Amino acid sequence: QVQLVESGGGLVQDGGSLRLSCAGSGRPFNRAVLGWFRQAPGKTREFVSATSWSGGSPVYADSVNGRFTISRDNDKNTVYLQMNDLKPEDTAIYYCAARLGVTVINRHPSQWGSWGRGTQVTVSS
């Protein structure tokens, strides 16, 4: 297991930007698939984005493609989510997740073994 701690959430206006960070400890990141999910009130947790251990060919949900960018720094055991042009429908708790020992990105939350506690992102209209 790896311990994950998110930061960077907050309140922003429609069209604004935020950068989320997720710091990991306990296991090195360099062989883990890392991802971001979100959960809005009354909704199920949904996939946002993920990146393989090399950082190449990131995957995005259609709803955020072109606005969000995922990146990682394996030396710092940290993964980031740059969120631009935020919209009220992006309001949710954002969770960092890790899949250890695999190279395949999976969009289903049940396939991810390590989770952070989440950080709140609120976009006002």
Side-chain angles (χ1 to χ4, degrees):
Q1 291 293 326
V2 60
Q3 290 74 46
L4 304 170
V5 179
E6 303 95 337
S7 61
L11 173 64
V12 65
Q13 292 187 333
D14 191 355
S17 298
L18 283 173
R19 188 193 195 203
L20 305 183
S21 298
C22 173
S25 62
R27 291 280 297 272
F29 264 15
N30 61 346
R31 294 297 175 180
V33 174
L34 302 174
W36 290 93
F37 290 75
R38 67 186 182 187
Q39 187 165 12
K43 295 188 177 181
T44 59
R45 192 167 298 189
E46 65 173 2
F47 173 83
V48 175
S49 181
T51 177
S52 64
W53 70 269
S54 67
S57 301
V59 178
Y60 298 95
D62 290 344
S63 59
V64 306
N65 195 25
R67 300 187 297 123
F68 292 10
T69 302
I70 190 171
S71 61
R72 63 191 291 168
D73 186 333
N74 289 335
D75 291 337
K76 295 182 179 179
N77 259 23
T78 301
V79 62
Y80 306 96
L81 186 68
Q82 177 66 44
M83 305 185 295
N84 297 330
D85 190 22
L86 282 160
K87 304 175 182 181
E89 51 264 41
D90 294 317
T91 295
I93 299 175
Y94 282 70
Y95 297 90
C96 175
R99 300 187 78 208
L100 302 178
V102 299
T103 58
V104 177
I105 292 174
N106 191 299
R107 296 173 182 247
H108 202 287
S110 68
Q111 299 301 309
W112 295 71
S114 300
W115 292 87
R117 292 188 174 185
T119 184
Q120 177 70 47
V121 171
T122 303
V123 184
S124 62
S125 57

